[in-house]
Amino acid sequence: MVIPVHDVNPVRRTPWVTYALIAVNVLVFITTPGIAGSVAGHSDLSQLCRLQAFMDHYAAIPRELIHHQLPRVVPTGGVGVGPHGPGCLVSPPGYDKSPALSVFTAMFLHGSWLHLLGNMLFLLIFGNNVEDRMGHIRYLLFYAVCGYAAGYGFALLNAGSGDPLIGASGAIAGVLGAYLMLYPRARVWVLVPFLVFLPLRLPAWLVLGFWFALQAMYSSGHGVSGGTVAYAAHVMGFVAGMLLAWPLKPGTPPPPEPPGLLFGRRARPHYSW
């Protein structure tokens, strides 16, 4: 997988919504109960129980989204000892959970630093131009709609699943789809792992098209064995983003970048514009 680091596509206005989304995602992550120990790799049972209770409360659960059936018992965040040893306590939920609202809250939850930083990198690189083209308010609504399309699309394909669905990946996939629709010829600086990280300047249609092809392949079960990544949600969000951005394509000015591929020293990005 290539790693994008910069796109040659200047914006006319500061992408405040993109910056705010990144800040909120980071803030929610570092304040998630029990996440510190989980990330450090030395969490104890009490931290894991608090994290599980928090995720079950605020994550999107496909079974809840489709069938509107909330579980009779949920983790409380406490620790107890049962016939099989220590474990997380469960009890009837002491809160009213809205499955529809959980799709929104799940967009700001992440399970690891790698999960968070990968999502925020893609959002930072590609979100600013989409926000610049749509405007702040319309972009924020677009982001939420793509997240909902990804969440409910995944739930429809996994209606019986009780596993929590978390992450901004579905909404950000929508941003990538919109970028591909609006700026297919924009140049993107990427690092390609080939013995060392080789810097290349590639067109957005190649970078994002390759990314989407991988997600579609993985969502069908090819190329991966097991795992917990909701690739189908990425596919749903990406398609939704392309469709929503389609009406804006005719009036979108092309990015100021000549065609061609660059590599090696010539591929070093310049930030003088």
Side-chain angles (χ1 to χ4, degrees):
M1 186 63 189
V2 298
I3 304 173
V5 293
H6 173 64
D7 68 330
V8 186
N9 196 2
V11 296
R12 300 165 298 171
R13 48 189 156 190
T14 304
W16 293 117
V17 174
T18 296
Y19 293 160
L21 288 171
I22 292 173
V24 171
N25 273 280
V26 173
L27 179 62
V28 170
F29 180 78
I30 61 179
T31 57
T32 297
I35 197 66
S38 176
V39 170
H42 52 71
S43 57
D44 56 26
L45 182 59
S46 63
Q47 291 176 319
L48 291 175
C49 290
R50 290 199 303 272
L51 179 60
Q52 184 179 356
F54 183 83
M55 291 298 179
D56 279 14
H57 187 178
Y58 293 104
I61 312 294
R63 186 167 55 205
E64 297 175 2
L65 295 179
I66 302 304
H67 302 295
H68 300 281
Q69 295 177 348
L70 299 179
R72 295 182 178 179
V73 294
V74 296
T76 65
V79 178
V81 179
H84 302 288
C88 298
L89 292 174
V90 295
S91 71
Y95 51 81
D96 294 324
K97 180 179 180 180
S98 168
L101 183 59
S102 71
V103 178
F104 179 78
T105 56
M107 294 183 206
F108 299 94
L109 304 179
H110 293 83
S112 69
W113 275 112
L114 183 62
H115 187 199
L116 173 70
L117 295 178
N119 278 343
M120 297 305 102
L121 174 64
F122 275 80
L123 180 58
L124 179 63
I125 293 174
F126 299 106
N128 59 346
N129 291 104
V130 178
E131 179 179 351
D132 186 52
R133 180 66 183 89
M134 293 184 174
H136 303 308
I137 301 301
R138 194 159 48 166
Y139 171 72
L140 182 59
L141 294 175
F142 163 84
Y143 184 90
V145 170
C146 289
Y148 268 87
Y152 272 98
F154 180 83
L156 285 172
L157 298 176
N158 301 270
S161 174
D163 296 329
L165 178 65
I166 62 172
S169 305
I172 295 172
V175 173
L176 303 186
Y179 193 100
L180 179 60
M181 176 61 67
L182 298 174
Y183 306 104
R185 297 181 181 276
R187 297 303 179 193
V188 181
W189 299 99
V190 299
L191 297 178
V192 180
F194 183 74
L195 299 181
V196 295
F197 283 103
L198 179 66
L200 291 175
R201 191 185 71 185
L202 303 175
W205 66 263
L206 181 59
V207 175
L208 298 179
F210 178 67
W211 182 89
F212 178 74
L214 282 180
Q215 307 309 303
M217 181 179 69
Y218 292 159
S219 68
S220 66
H222 295 88
V224 291
S225 57
T228 58
V229 179
Y231 294 108
H234 301 174
V235 173
M236 298 291 183
F238 192 93
V239 172
M242 290 191 69
L243 294 176
L244 290 171
W246 190 6
L248 299 176
K249 183 174 177 61
T252 302
E257 179 63 24
L261 305 181
L262 294 179
F263 58 90
R265 291 184 178 179
R266 296 176 62 202
R268 293 176 182 173
H270 300 279
Y271 302 98
S272 58
W273 37 263

